[in-house]
Amino acid sequence: LEVALSLGPLQQSLLAIASSQQSPPALRRRCIEAHASGLTTLVAAAAIGSNPSATGALGVALEALPSWLAVHAALCTGCEGWSDQDKIACAFVAVRALTTLSRFNSLREVLSGCIEGVLRPASLLVQHIEGGYTQAIIASDDAGASDDEDAGPAQLVAQVMELLQAMLMGKELRPLLKSRVKSLLQLLVPFMRVTEAQCKAWREDPNEFLAHEEDDRVRGAAVRLSGEYLVGELLSHLKRESGRAL
């Protein structure tokens, strides 16, 4: 908590580093992670109500949250000269941090006015990588290498799906998705196809494939399974539009 309380005095410096295009991508990712971690701790401490300083610090952090979300959007957009790996890794960290923040009721009102600015460039990046993903992962046997990456294309797509699920859970954020279900499904369904590596695993040993599939289900690791959960949440929270879109 003491570290989180220091977020206020350090926030402007941290935000300046995260915002600067001169900062290396890895450093900007660390700033996003540090901010999200500190804000999460402040929200939890303020909810308990045992530390008045946490409540005050949370108020200051909320005022700065739109500026931080602009950094999230910038990381999803990327910079000229960044490698594809850096672009995907930065977008993944930005979307993952936003997913965490969107689960807190006390942050959703502020997020509702800014979250689209992050979701838009993240969706454009997902759209951009679909062709390469199809060729390298869906249509080719990569021996499961894509599943072992820490922040690769598969992880980014799964994280976007998780963000959408978190938005559906909040009444403040859910309306932002109401008119976009069809376009979101058109964007994400291509990533939910069975891959060539999965087909090979099934042909070699169906029982082993099913065991691995269940393990992925528990860990929420596979893009296809993340998509399955997303479709379920869409049908639960936006039933009419989702039914038409499907």
Side-chain angles (χ1 to χ4, degrees):
L1 179 57
E2 291 181 4
V3 175
L5 289 174
S6 69
L7 179 63
L10 294 176
Q11 186 163 224
Q12 288 305 315
S13 298
L14 197 64
L15 181 58
I17 295 172
S19 303
S20 175
Q21 294 189 10
Q22 304 306 314
S23 299
L27 180 57
R28 299 179 76 177
R29 294 197 297 270
R30 291 293 180 87
C31 290
I32 288 287
E33 291 172 332
H35 171 260
S37 178
L39 185 51
T40 298
T41 303
L42 288 178
V43 170
I48 296 173
S50 59
N51 192 320
S53 298
T55 302
L58 177 59
V60 174
L62 284 174
E63 292 179 2
L65 187 52
S67 297
W68 276 101
L69 290 183
V71 177
H72 285 241
L75 262 64
C76 289
T77 302
C79 290
E80 185 178 352
W82 282 10
S83 66
D84 289 343
Q85 184 178 11
D86 277 331
K87 290 178 181 178
I88 292 172
C90 284
F92 170 77
V93 168
V95 174
R96 181 176 61 182
L98 182 55
T99 302
T100 299
L101 299 180
S102 65
R103 293 195 174 104
F104 293 99
N105 291 331
S106 58
L107 302 181
R108 285 174 178 159
E109 183 177 351
V110 177
L111 290 176
S112 65
C114 310
I115 199 168
E116 287 184 284
V118 181
L119 190 57
R120 191 177 303 111
S123 298
L124 287 174
L125 179 57
V126 169
Q127 184 181 39
H128 175 72
I129 66 177
E130 190 270 326
Y133 185 93
T134 296
Q135 183 177 2
I137 298 175
I138 298 293
S140 303
D141 180 10
D142 69 345
S146 59
D147 293 331
D148 295 331
E149 293 181 286
D150 292 328
Q155 288 71 31
L156 171 61
V157 175
Q159 192 61 61
V160 170
M161 292 175 174
E162 190 173 336
L163 172 60
L164 295 173
Q165 291 178 63
M167 292 175 66
L168 288 166
M169 299 300 290
K171 62 181 182 181
E172 300 89 349
L173 303 178
R174 192 182 309 137
L176 300 175
L177 302 178
K178 190 171 183 180
S179 62
R180 302 179 179 180
V181 174
K182 183 176 180 179
S183 61
L184 287 171
L185 287 174
Q186 289 174 330
L187 173 70
L188 297 171
V189 163
F191 295 91
M192 296 163 57
R193 290 171 289 176
V194 176
T195 68
E196 181 57 33
Q198 291 167 337
C199 290
K200 181 181 178 182
W202 169 263
R203 290 192 295 266
E204 291 178 348
D205 189 337
N207 292 327
E208 180 66 23
F209 173 84
L210 292 174
H212 183 71
E213 182 94 338
E214 186 59 33
D215 181 55
D216 279 348
R217 187 180 300 276
V218 171
R219 295 185 294 112
V223 175
R224 184 166 48 83
L225 297 177
S226 296
E228 177 185 319
Y229 294 138
L230 174 59
V231 170
E233 293 296 336
L234 285 168
L235 289 171
S236 176
H237 295 287
L238 299 173
K239 183 175 182 179
R240 181 177 300 178
E241 184 178 355
S242 299
R244 289 198 300 262
L246 287 169

